[in-house]
C-alpha cells in the first residue's frame, strides 16, 4: 500500500491525508446480490402480517394484492405510520428512493425494534 500523502501544507488549515484503500474482497454486483437472494412465499409474509388467505389476491407465489377487506377486519387495531419516500435525486452511486426506503425499514425494524412493512413499488390508483 502506498504511503499516505499530505494534501495541504501544515499551517494552512487542517492537514488531510489521502490513504489508498486496499479492498479485501470484491463487492458483489447488483445482479449477484439479486441472484443470491431467496424469496419467501407471499403467503408466509401475509401470515406474519395476520392476513387471511382470502385477503390476498395472488399473482404467482411471490406477489399478491391485499384486499380492502383486511383493512375493515383490522380497523380496531392500532394504526401505524405511512412514510412515503419520493422526489429525491439519486447519489452518484445510484442510491435513490428504493435504497432509502429499504434502509429506513432496516433501521426501524432491526435497530428500533418496530414492526415494519415496505412497499417499494406502489400500484397506480
Amino acid at each position: 500500500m502506498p504511503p499516505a500523502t499530505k494534501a495541504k501544507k501544515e499551517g494552512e488549515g487542517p492537514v488531510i491525508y489521502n490513504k489508498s484503500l486496499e479492498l479485501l474482497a470484491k463487492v458483489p454486483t447488483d445482479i449477484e446480490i439479486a441472484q443470491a437472494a431467496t424469496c419467501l412465499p407471499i403467503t408466509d409474509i401475509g401470515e406474519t402480517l395476520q392476513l387471511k388467505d382470502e385477503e390476498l389476491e395472488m399473482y404467482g407465489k411471490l406477489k399478491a394484492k391485499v384486499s380492502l377487506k383486511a383493512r375493515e377486519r383490522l380497523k380496531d387495531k392500532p394504526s401505524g405510520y405511512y412514510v412515503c419516500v419520493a422526489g429525491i435525486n439519486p447519489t452518484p452511486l445510484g442510491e435513490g428512493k428504493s435504497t432509502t426506503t429499504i434502509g429506513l425499514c432496516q433501521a426501524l425494524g432491526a435497530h428500533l425494534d418496530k414492526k415494519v412493512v415496505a412497499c417499494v413499488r406502489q400500484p397506480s390508483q
Side-chain angles (χ1 to χ4, degrees), residues 9-119:
K9 291 182 184 177
E10 289 189 45
E12 294 182 358
V15 177
I16 301 171
Y17 290 93
N18 178 12
K19 294 183 179 182
S20 297
L21 296 176
E22 191 175 318
L23 294 177
L24 299 178
K26 180 183 160 248
V27 176
T29 62
D30 290 348
I31 191 70
E32 290 170 331
I33 294 169
Q35 289 174 339
T38 303
C39 295
L40 296 173
I42 197 68
T43 52
D44 291 356
I45 296 169
E47 188 176 309
T48 64
L49 297 172
Q50 301 175 355
L51 297 173
K52 296 180 178 180
D53 288 342
E54 59 269 14
E55 293 170 340
L56 292 176
E57 185 180 335
M58 302 298 293
Y59 289 86
K61 294 180 180 180
L62 304 176
K63 295 188 295 185
K65 286 185 179 180
V66 179
S67 169
L68 290 176
K69 294 175 187 174
R71 189 174 86 173
E72 182 63 29
R73 182 176 60 83
L74 299 170
K75 68 181 178 189
D76 295 329
K77 300 270 185 180
S79 294
Y81 294 95
Y82 179 80
V83 178
C84 183
V85 178
I88 62 172
N89 293 324
T91 67
L93 296 175
E95 299 152 323
K97 294 182 291 292
S98 297
T99 304
T100 301
T101 300
I102 298 305
L104 281 170
C105 285
Q106 289 177 329
L108 289 168
H111 299 286
L112 297 177
D113 202 28
K114 303 290 183 186
K115 294 180 183 177
V116 183
V117 176
C119 179

